[in-house]
Amino acid sequence: MTGSLTIAGLGPGADTLVTPEVEAALADATDVVGYIPYVARVAERAGLTLHPSDNRVELDRARHALDMAVAGRKVVVVSSGDPGVFAMASAVFEAVEDGPVDWRDLDIRVLPGITAMLAAAARAGAPLGHDFCAINLSDNLKPWALIEKRLRLAVEADFAMAFYNPRSKSRPEGFARTLKVLQESCGDARPVIFARAVSTPQEEVRVVPLTQCQPEMADMRTVVIVGASNTRVIARKGRAPIVYTPRSVPA
Amino acid sequence: MTGSLTIAGLGPGADTLVTPEVEAALADATDVVGYIPYVARVAERAGLTLHPSDNRVELDRARHALDMAVAGRKVVVVSSGDPGVFAMASAVFEAVEDGPVDWRDLDIRVLPGITAMLAAAARAGAPLGHDFCAINLSDNLKPWALIEKRLRLAVEADFAMAFYNPRSKSRPEGFARTLKVLQESCGDARPVIFARAVSTPQEEVRVVPLTQCQPEMADMRTVVIVGASNTRVIARKGRAPIVYTPRSVPA
């Protein structure tokens, strides 16, 4: 089989955060598949066909990409951020597992990218500088009870936390519940970072004490990072504060 | 003040995984500071002074970098992977918080990089494709009891887990304890990925059922990823298996 499937991470938005490995894969591709705004980030050129598709059709998109690769095309599936973090890689492998056996013989590669929480953390300082967890707050594909259980256990473990997909237009109530759980169970004013569209012209980063967080501070382009109990805020004159989690926890 | 401090992530090893943003910062630097093997990855050139230093002197290194920046130098502190994940960014901010007030007036930036767990996950498939946590297993800067507590809560939350610094030469017993906790509390044969030196010539990736894991399978250059209870393994003829965590959890 001469075709191949590459699942590539475009990073959070800026061209300067795309790895050379991903650039090389795009330069060698015959077909690029992905969600409309991510495919729009790939430059058109002769010999390359772009296949943008809508949100929430991840499995169809994955099967289309696999079909083209089996037919001999060099297909790149693009994700924002890192394809392995709440993105297309798992959808492709779900399709492979349930699909025809010859899909398993394909040359399939995943190329990592800068995932949103790392770009957001870098802008704020180093809030994920010690043990942390990443939770997808969408209850589209899992029950809300599981999200709430994970939130409570993450607080008990004293992880810093990064939340993806905090607040969709169709289900805005989940993030309000999340804040309520955290405000009740943390019981302190630890810093929360609302980082929207980091590295794009729409970038906005706010640091808000947990006690003052409001659901409207997040949307689907926001990554929310909640500090651990020992996360620190360094105030600065005329500059944004620095938020970081120390490397050590005294006994 | 004309000096600046940039804390940059070099990614896991390969030049093709260094972002253009980090390359630009290195091209503009007057001084590069970091642990010996990371500074060795930066090309020498006229006008650039390299300041390699040994392991376990992170705070001294940070203060040296801050001093030079205040004196007007363009200083880049380099970390492997992402500087905000178990790396130099927190050490620099610890130094800033405890240091002279003029350090806070500096132009300080953190530039994200591909952290080891994302490079490792990409090689194996998408084991971090759903909710996960990252834990530093070194008990050098925190009590072992806290590590064990976090492990037990992470199992209860059913997170996939990524472990950094799993097994040092001087304290090899922590990882044996970790495996014992996981083998007892998970009670299944979920896949564990031992990913060593990913993207370098020394790269080795193994997938081992939890029940068969041995402490000797990891060293300090290894990132260990443990699947969640629903993490899947796709067997392939003549190729490494694919390990991925599905996007959905049925109610």
Side-chain angles (χ1 to χ4, degrees):
Chain A
M1 221 177 301
T2 56
S4 64
L5 184 68
T6 302
I7 311 161
L10 297 177
D15 288 346
T16 54
L17 293 176
V18 182
T19 66
E21 183 180 64
V22 168
E23 291 289 4
L26 291 171
D28 194 43
T30 60
D31 297 84
V32 169
V33 173
Y35 179 40
I36 298 161
Y38 308 150
V39 172
R41 289 174 53 193
V42 178
E44 297 191 53
R45 63 171 162 77
L48 175 67
T49 308
L50 301 178
H51 305 267
S53 50
D54 209 345
N55 214 348
R56 298 224 175 165
V57 295
E58 289 81 5
L59 276 180
D60 293 339
R61 181 190 298 149
R63 290 188 197 110
H64 179 215
L66 286 156
D67 271 333
M68 287 193 291
V70 166
R73 312 286 295 176
K74 289 183 183 172
V75 183
V76 176
V77 175
V78 290
S79 273
S80 174
D82 181 281
V85 177
F86 310 124
M88 277 302 296
S90 284
V92 170
F93 295 130
E94 286 168 35
V96 169
E97 188 173 16
D98 292 339
V101 163
D102 63 348
W103 283 359
R104 299 187 184 202
D105 295 332
L106 271 171
D107 179 15
I108 305 183
R109 291 188 307 159
V110 180
L111 307 185
I114 304 290
T115 186
M117 69 178 167
L118 297 186
R123 279 296 194 272
L128 305 179
H130 204 62
D131 301 339
F132 66 94
C133 64
I135 300 178
N136 185 342
L137 288 186
S138 169
D139 63 348
N140 191 29
L141 295 172
K142 69 185 162 187
W144 174 259
L146 179 61
I147 297 175
E148 189 163 326
K149 179 182 173 187
R150 286 180 174 163
L151 288 171
R152 292 186 188 282
L153 290 166
V155 169
E156 196 181 338
D158 203 9
F159 284 127
M161 299 173 220
F163 300 138
Y164 285 70
N165 303 321
R167 191 161 174 271
S168 69
K169 275 189 192 155
S170 58
R171 301 167 180 239
E173 67 281 2
F175 188 57
R177 287 193 214 168
T178 298
L179 287 179
K180 194 155 177 283
V181 167
L182 294 176
Q183 285 162 342
E184 287 172 5
S185 55
C186 296
D188 59 24
R190 66 184 62 191
V192 178
I193 298 152
F194 293 86
R196 185 169 188 279
V198 167
S199 86
T200 78
Q202 293 81 42
E203 175 173 323
E204 281 177 69
V205 179
R206 299 175 66 177
V207 179
V208 182
L210 175 58
T211 43
Q212 293 171 34
C213 290
Q214 300 291 333
E216 297 71 28
M217 292 174 179
D219 65 11
M220 285 304 266
R221 293 191 73 191
T222 309
V223 166
V224 179
I225 297 178
V226 180
S229 66
N230 64 332
T231 298
R232 309 280 308 161
V233 179
I234 306 177
R236 295 191 296 171
K237 247 189 260 174
R239 287 178 186 268
I242 293 167
V243 183
Y244 80 97
T245 304
R247 299 164 303 147
S248 55
V249 180
Chain B
M1 222 178 302
T2 57
S4 63
L5 184 67
T6 302
I7 311 162
L10 297 177
D15 288 346
T16 54
L17 293 176
V18 182
T19 66
E21 184 180 64
V22 167
E23 290 289 2
L26 291 171
D28 194 43
T30 60
D31 298 84
V32 169
V33 173
Y35 178 39
I36 297 163
Y38 308 150
V39 173
R41 291 175 51 192
V42 177
E44 297 191 53
R45 61 172 164 77
L48 175 66
T49 307
L50 302 179
H51 305 266
S53 49
D54 209 346
N55 214 349
R56 300 224 174 164
V57 294
E58 288 82 4
L59 277 180
D60 292 341
R61 180 190 299 149
R63 290 187 195 108
H64 179 214
L66 287 156
D67 271 334
M68 287 194 291
V70 166
R73 312 286 294 176
K74 290 183 183 171
V75 183
V76 176
V77 175
V78 290
S79 272
S80 174
D82 181 280
V85 176
F86 310 124
M88 276 304 294
S90 285
V92 169
F93 295 129
E94 286 169 35
V96 169
E97 189 172 16
D98 292 338
V101 163
D102 62 349
W103 283 0
R104 300 186 184 204
D105 296 333
L106 270 171
D107 179 14
I108 304 184
R109 291 188 308 158
V110 180
L111 306 185
I114 304 289
T115 186
M117 69 178 167
L118 297 187
R123 280 295 193 270
L128 305 179
H130 204 62
D131 302 339
F132 66 93
C133 65
I135 300 177
N136 185 343
L137 288 186
S138 168
D139 62 348
N140 192 29
L141 295 171
K142 68 185 161 188
W144 174 259
L146 179 60
I147 298 175
E148 189 163 327
K149 180 182 173 187
R150 286 180 173 162
L151 287 171
R152 292 186 187 283
L153 291 165
V155 169
E156 195 181 339
D158 202 10
F159 285 127
M161 300 173 219
F163 300 138
Y164 285 70
N165 303 322
R167 191 160 174 271
S168 69
K169 274 189 193 156
S170 57
R171 300 167 181 240
E173 66 282 3
F175 188 57
R177 287 192 214 170
T178 298
L179 286 179
K180 193 154 177 285
V181 167
L182 294 176
Q183 285 162 343
E184 286 172 5
S185 55
C186 296
D188 58 24
R190 66 184 62 191
V192 178
I193 297 151
F194 293 86
R196 184 169 189 279
V198 168
S199 86
T200 77
Q202 293 80 43
E203 175 173 323
E204 281 177 72
V205 179
R206 298 173 67 177
V207 179
V208 182
L210 175 58
T211 44
Q212 294 172 33
C213 290
Q214 300 292 333
E216 297 71 28
M217 292 174 180
D219 65 11
M220 285 304 266
R221 294 191 73 192
T222 309
V223 166
V224 179
I225 297 178
V226 180
S229 66
N230 64 333
T231 299
R232 310 278 309 160
V233 179
I234 306 177
R236 295 192 295 172
K237 247 189 260 172
R239 288 177 185 269
I242 294 167
V243 182
Y244 81 97
T245 303
R247 298 164 304 147
S248 54
V249 180

